[in-house]
Amino acid sequence: MASIFGIINKYKGQLNLLPILILIFVAATILVYVFFNREPKFKYFPALVGILGGLILIWMGSMNFTTDNGLRWVWYGVATFVAGCVGLGTAWLLALFTSMPGMGNFSKKTRRSAGKTGPKPRTAKKPANRPTTRSAAKGRHRGDE
């Protein structure tokens, strides 16, 4: 157990890399979506860069895997690949939310008037067209004989 804590203390500085990369890729995905909203495929670009960059770093590290430098490159590659996958998940969530009704593209005009109008009122059903003439027993009711 003491050896595990020793390893964690030794590599504590490198463990901060993954959450920072995840935040960077999520923020980059959201910013690309905001600025390039007209072209919906652009939001996948940061994730693509992260995934391909991570695979390249893993491949470069695997060439010198037995050295400390090779292990460092593999760690950076894994962290970049995972952050790219999280960015891809963020892009998919953005696509899901924008495909929902009422969550799509908003112009300034739509934003101003979205809350004022509310839902459309439902119209009452029109009564069915039935003949208004009654039978000969106009005054008779059920049970009267």
Side-chain angles (χ1 to χ4, degrees), residues 84-103:
C85 290
V86 171
L88 181 64
T90 303
W92 281 340
L93 285 175
L94 285 172
L96 177 70
F97 287 143
T98 56
S99 69
M100 293 171 64
M103 298 292 289

Side-chain angles (χ1 to χ4, degrees), residues 52-96:
L52 290 178
L55 290 175
I56 290 170
L57 289 173
I58 290 171
W59 180 74
M60 286 173 52
S62 67
M63 295 297 159
N64 300 325
F65 193 70
T66 56
T67 64
D68 287 338
N69 199 19
L71 288 174
R72 188 175 302 121
W73 281 102
V74 170
W75 166 243
Y76 292 155
V78 168
T80 308
F81 179 80
V82 169
C85 290
V86 171
L88 181 64
T90 303
W92 281 340
L93 285 175
L94 285 172
L96 177 70

Side-chain angles (χ1 to χ4, degrees), residues 18-40:
L18 185 59
I20 291 170
L21 277 177
I22 288 174
L23 287 175
I24 289 171
F25 276 95
V26 168
T29 302
I30 292 172
L31 287 174
V32 167
Y33 170 73
V34 167
F35 289 121
F36 299 105
N37 197 11
R38 300 276 184 212
E39 186 61 42

Side-chain angles (χ1 to χ4, degrees), residues 74-143:
V74 170
W75 166 243
Y76 292 155
V78 168
T80 308
F81 179 80
V82 169
C85 290
V86 171
L88 181 64
T90 303
W92 281 340
L93 285 175
L94 285 172
L96 177 70
F97 287 143
T98 56
S99 69
M100 293 171 64
M103 298 292 289
N105 299 333
F106 287 115
S107 64
K108 290 181 181 179
K109 183 177 180 182
T110 309
R111 277 190 213 132
R112 274 189 247 125
S113 62
K116 294 179 183 176
T117 59
K120 292 183 180 179
R122 293 186 179 184
T123 57
K125 289 185 178 181
K126 294 181 180 179
N129 289 335
R130 294 188 180 132
T132 56
T133 58
R134 295 197 176 217
S135 64
K138 192 174 184 179
R140 295 182 71 188
H141 297 287
R142 190 174 195 176

